[in-house]
Amino acid sequence: MSDEIKKEEESLNFLEEIIEQDLSAGKYPSIVTRFPPEPNGYLHLGHASSICLNFGLTRKYPGYTNLRFDDTNPVTEETEYVDSIKEDVKWLGFEWKHERYASDYFDTLYEYAVKLIEKGLAYVDDSTSEQMAAMKGTPTEPGVNSPYRDRTIEENLDLFTRMKAGEFPDGSHTLRAKIEMAHINMLMRDPILYRIKHAHHHRTGDKWCIYPMYDFAHGQSDSIEEVTHSICTLEFVPHRELYDWLIEKLDIYPSHQYEFARRNINYTVTSKRKLLQLVNEQYVEGWDDPRMPTISGLRRRGYTPESIRDFCDRIGVAKRENMVDVGLLEFCVREHLNKIALRRMVVFDPVKVVITNYTGEGEMLSSENNPEDENGGTRQIPFSGELYIEREDFMENPPKKYFRLAPGQMVRLKSAYIIKCEQVIKDEEGQVKELQCTYIPESKSGADTSGIHVKGTLHWVSVKHAVRAEVRLYDRLFKVEDPTDEEGDFKEYLNPLSLQVLPAVYAEPDLLHASLQERYQFIRKGYFVLDKSSNPDQLIFNRTVGLKDAWAKEVKKG
RNA sequence: UGACCCAUGGUGUAACGGUAGCACUACAGAUUUUGGUUCUGUCUGUUAAGGUUCGAAUCCUUAUGGGUCAACCA
C-alpha cells in the first residue's frame, strides 16, 4: 500500500479527532453516542448522515450508540413514526444498544426541575406567550424581567406541583430557568423548561399534563444515558451554552454537545415539515413514495443500504454549509447495483422485427446474469422469428455515429444473432410498423464464425414469449436545485415529470419470477426493482436510476 | 446593525507552519456482445488585503460573503 493511500485512510473528520484526543487523554475509556429523532415523521437522507455518523463512530471506536426518541411534544408524535424509524435504522444496517425515550425520563426530569426551583434557579411564570415575547428583547436589545421572576421558592414549588396536578389550563403557566434577561444569547433569557399541555402522549398516555421543552430534556437525557459525545446539527450551537448551564446547575453527568453541518441535497427538500406537506396534500403517494428523500422512499425506489452508507461516507462531516449533488447519490447506487443487479431485457416502446430467413420454431439462448459477477450464472431466453426491439433503436435516416439499426445496417441482438435491416414497413400515417430483417446464422452468440463486427448491440424480446409489465420511471422531485431558496411556495417547483408510468412494456419471461429482494438491470435501460404493489398478474417495476448515457449526451450536443 | 458559526476547483472533502491531495462531475482516448462497466489521461481551487515567519490554505488583524439566534417546536 502506498503512503498516499494510507494517509487518506487515516485522515479523520473533526469529530473523530476530538474522540481520539479524548480517548488517548483517558477522558473516557469508551464512548457513548445516540441517534435522537423526534417521532413526528419518517427518516430521510439527512437522518441517514446522522445515523451513519453516530453509529459509525462507535463501530470505529470502543463504545455503543443508543436509539433515543425525543418524544417531549405529545401533539406531534405517533407510534407509527416510532415503528418506521426503528425499521429504517435497522434496514440501514445499524444496531442500537438501548432503545430509549425521553418520556422514560419524565419522572427524573420532574425531579430535576424541582431541584432547580429549590436552588432558586427556576420559577413559575404566569405570563402569556405574547407577554413573554414582548419581555424577551431582541438580539440587539436586552429583555426585561418578568413580574413573576421573584416569586419565593415555596410559591414556585406549590405552583409547579399544581401545574403537574392539572389544576391549570394550557398556556396559563410555564416553568422558566432564572438566568439573565439581558444575556447576549437569547436562549439564556430565562428559557422555558416546562409547559402545560393537556394532551395524550403516545407512551405515557394521560399521566402527564406538563411536558419538558427540548432544552430541558435533550441534554438531561444525554446525561442520564451517560452519552459522552452528543452530536447534533449546527442550528443547535446557541443551545450549547444552555445545555452546559443546566448540566452544571443540576450537577449531573457532563455530556458534551458537538455540532456539524446538516447535509443538504439538491433537487429535493429534507425538512420534515415540507415532506409532511407533500404527503398530506398528496403531491406524492405517501412517506415511502419512491420520489421522496425518505429512507423508506429510497428503499422502495430500489436503493440499497450499502449505497446510502457509501454516500454518507463520501460526503463526510464538517461544519460548513453545503449542498451535495444528488448525482453523487446516483453514482453510489449505480456502483453497487452494477455489481449485484441481474441483467434482463425489457423493451419499453416496441417496434416489431420480423426475421424473414429464420425458419425455425424458435430456440432458447443463454445469457449471463451479470457480466460483473463470474459466479452469477446464466439464464435462458427464448428467441424466435418475431421480435420486439426499442423504437428508438431504429432510424430511417440515421446521423453519423448512430450504431443502431437503420436500413441496410447490421446490429447484434444481445446474446443472439447479428441481423440486417432489409425493409421498412410503415402504416398509413408513415409510422414505422415493422422491420423486415435477415439474420446471419453463423453469428450466434458464443459461436460466432461470421467474422462480422458490428458497433451496436440491442436488447430485444421475442413477441410471443414476452411478458407484460408496468414500469414507473422516476426522476428528481423538484426541477430546481434548491426549492427552498426560490420565490414563493416550494411546491411550485415540483418536477411535473418526476413520475412517468409506462403501463405496458415487454419483458423477457424470466422476469415473471422477479422477487422483491432482487435488483435488476434492464439492459441499456437502467436499474429496476419490483414495487411492493406488484403481483404475478400485474408486474410493476420502479426505476431506481438510469444508466449513464453517453449517446444521449452526444445527441444533445448535436 | 449585537452575538455566535463558517469560508479550499462546478460539488463534497483532505492537507494540523514545509510539494494543495482524493472522490464525484465535465472533457478526451482505449477496451467492450449494454453508447453500461473497466482502464488511461486532461481541465478547474486556497474570498480579499495586510501582518507574523526562512516558509502560511493553516497563526494574527481587518474587510467581504454565507449561515444561525427573538416557537409554551425539536
Side-chain angles (χ1 to χ4, degrees):
Chain A
M1 187 179 288
S2 75
D3 290 346
E4 205 61 52
I5 293 172
K6 234 171 148 181
K7 201 173 163 191
E8 181 70 22
E9 281 179 354
E10 284 167 4
S11 128
L12 305 173
N13 66 46
F14 78 100
L15 290 166
E16 291 168 333
E17 276 178 17
I18 290 167
I19 289 170
E20 291 206 354
Q21 277 168 23
D22 288 348
L23 250 21
S24 66
K27 190 170 173 187
Y28 314 105
S30 62
I31 61 168
V32 180
T33 61
R34 102 270 90 117
F35 172 60
E38 181 189 10
N40 67 345
Y42 281 62
L43 259 27
H44 55 65
L45 238 17
H47 297 107
S49 270
S50 173
I51 292 167
C52 291
L53 214 207
N54 279 296
F55 285 92
L57 251 14
T58 54
R59 244 176 214 188
K60 183 165 182 176
Y61 302 106
Y64 61 82
T65 302
N66 288 345
L67 172 61
R68 185 175 71 236
F69 292 95
D70 228 337
D71 56 350
T72 57
N73 185 0
V75 303
T76 56
E77 295 150 6
E78 293 172 26
T79 304
E80 174 199 348
Y81 297 131
V82 170
D83 295 339
S84 77
I85 287 167
K86 286 159 67 176
E87 185 188 353
D88 289 348
V89 174
K90 277 189 237 165
W91 180 77
L92 278 173
F94 296 104
E95 275 178 46
W96 52 88
K97 174 86 167 184
H98 302 295
E99 176 183 333
R100 293 284 143 84
Y101 295 78
S103 55
D104 293 340
Y105 310 134
F106 281 172
D107 285 303
T108 308
L109 262 17
Y110 180 81
E111 287 166 24
Y112 285 170
V114 170
K115 189 166 159 187
L116 236 33
I117 295 171
E118 286 169 344
K119 288 177 106 172
L121 293 172
Y123 63 96
V124 172
D125 196 323
D126 305 354
S127 307
T128 63
S129 60
E130 293 76 24
Q131 288 166 334
M132 252 187 241
M135 290 184 283
K136 187 118 192 188
T138 71
T140 53
E141 302 161 65
V144 297
N145 287 172
S146 163
Y148 305 98
R149 199 173 196 266
D150 295 318
R151 287 217 250 234
T152 64
I153 290 172
E154 292 66 33
E155 193 181 359
N156 282 320
L157 247 17
D158 172 61
L159 252 11
F160 189 52
T161 307
R162 290 163 61 196
M163 277 170 65
K164 183 194 178 202
E167 287 186 30
F168 307 118
D170 289 7
S172 60
H173 299 73
T174 55
L175 182 73
R176 301 178 72 180
K178 192 192 270 192
I179 305 179
E180 166 66 75
M181 288 307 291
H183 204 288
I184 200 73
N185 181 350
M186 297 284 291
L187 277 152
M188 299 295 277
R189 320 243 261 228
D190 290 11
I192 295 175
L193 269 19
Y194 264 92
R195 77 285 214 192
I196 301 171
K197 267 182 200 277
H198 290 271
H200 189 83
H201 187 277
H202 74 115
R203 295 188 84 238
T204 58
D206 299 313
K207 179 178 175 190
W208 295 87
C209 64
I210 56 171
Y211 292 93
M213 296 288 288
Y214 167 85
D215 286 304
F216 200 66
H218 200 105
Q220 290 58 44
S221 302
D222 285 342
S223 185
I224 291 166
E225 293 172 24
E226 302 200 347
V227 168
T228 55
H229 301 263
S230 176
I231 299 162
C232 61
T233 47
L234 244 27
E235 64 266 33
F236 290 97
V237 169
H239 292 253
R240 191 175 58 226
E241 196 171 7
L242 179 54
Y243 184 105
D244 292 340
W245 186 90
L246 286 166
I247 281 179
E248 186 204 321
K249 301 303 179 197
L250 257 13
D251 193 24
I252 53 180
Y253 181 87
S255 298
H256 289 281
Q257 174 183 303
Y258 302 90
E259 311 87 10
F260 72 101
R262 165 195 303 282
R263 316 324 280 173
N264 301 298
I265 295 155
N266 58 12
Y267 298 103
T268 192
V269 291
T270 44
S271 125
K272 278 190 199 166
R273 207 193 97 248
K274 292 194 174 69
L275 295 174
L276 182 63
Q277 239 181 97
L278 294 176
V279 172
N280 284 346
E281 296 168 29
Q282 298 179 10
Y283 289 95
V284 294
E285 252 185 61
W287 285 101
D288 71 344
D289 186 293
R291 292 166 292 183
M292 292 282 272
T294 51
I295 305 303
S296 51
L298 292 165
R299 176 165 61 231
R300 190 169 165 199
R301 174 90 169 243
Y303 274 79
T304 58
E306 291 89 337
S307 64
I308 295 173
R309 277 188 258 129
D310 183 36
F311 174 68
C312 292
D313 280 353
R314 283 171 186 265
I315 62 183
V317 182
K319 295 187 82 156
R320 88 183 76 124
E321 301 295 320
N322 60 82
M323 179 66 81
V324 183
D325 193 338
V326 68
L328 183 61
L329 213 212
E330 294 172 346
F331 165 83
C332 291
V333 75
R334 280 194 192 104
E335 188 178 58
H336 186 219
L337 259 17
N338 179 48
K339 293 196 192 97
I340 63 164
L342 262 23
R343 270 55 172 180
R344 294 295 182 262
M345 294 201 284
V346 180
V347 174
F348 286 12
D349 182 16
V351 65
K352 191 191 268 185
V353 165
V354 175
I355 300 174
T356 54
N357 61 338
Y358 189 81
T359 50
E361 280 295 290
E363 60 188 300
M364 294 304 280
L365 300 173
S366 153
S367 188
E368 74 274 7
N369 281 322
N370 186 346
E372 305 294 316
D373 177 5
E374 44 186 48
N375 303 316
T378 59
R379 71 190 184 286
Q380 298 293 110
I381 311 170
F383 182 83
S384 71
E386 286 199 3
L387 312 169
Y388 285 136
I389 65 164
E390 212 69 64
R391 188 166 285 277
E392 64 174 13
D393 285 340
F394 172 80
M395 275 185 97
E396 203 166 9
N397 301 299
K400 54 186 183 307
K401 291 206 280 184
Y402 185 79
F403 304 145
R404 308 177 187 182
L405 204 57
Q409 282 197 26
M410 291 196 279
V411 294
R412 170 170 293 281
L413 296 177
K414 173 74 182 170
S415 299
Y417 301 93
I418 292 174
I419 59 168
K420 181 177 184 183
C421 177
E422 307 286 356
Q423 208 182 128
V424 182
I425 297 174
K426 298 181 185 175
D427 62 18
E428 312 78 54
E429 279 117 46
Q431 264 260 61
V432 175
K433 198 174 134 195
E434 182 180 313
L435 299 169
Q436 299 218 325
C437 300
T438 52
Y439 84 117
I440 316 291
E442 314 80 71
S443 67
K444 184 168 175 174
S445 194
D448 188 347
T449 56
S450 70
I452 300 170
H453 289 282
V454 293
K455 288 281 245 177
T457 301
L458 307 185
H459 62 282
W460 53 274
V461 292
S462 165
V463 171
K464 69 168 173 261
H465 302 96
V467 171
R468 293 277 199 113
E470 176 177 313
V471 151
R472 297 175 182 173
L473 305 178
Y474 295 101
D475 200 355
R476 330 194 133 154
L477 228 202
F478 289 89
K479 53 190 177 188
V480 295
E481 282 205 39
D482 186 359
T484 313
D485 198 40
E486 301 285 337
E487 289 287 311
D489 191 84
F490 77 102
K491 296 192 293 296
E492 289 169 31
Y493 300 91
L494 281 161
N495 176 9
L497 273 20
S498 63
L499 168 59
Q500 194 190 345
V501 177
L502 305 181
V505 302
Y506 297 86
E508 61 167 279
D510 186 273
L511 247 13
L512 224 33
H513 313 115
S515 94
L516 231 28
Q517 277 60 252
E518 206 62 71
R519 310 300 154 116
Y520 303 92
Q521 184 197 99
F522 293 175
I523 293 178
R524 304 209 301 137
K525 284 293 177 188
Y527 294 100
F528 290 80
V529 69
L530 207 60
D531 188 71
K532 65 176 186 184
S533 64
S534 183
N535 66 67
D537 296 324
Q538 170 66 341
L539 290 173
I540 300 173
F541 290 95
N542 295 325
R543 181 173 69 190
T544 308
V545 66
L547 259 23
K548 286 214 314 204
D549 191 346
W551 173 244
K553 234 182 241 174
E554 191 72 29
V555 171
K556 215 173 163 185
K557 277 193 291 187

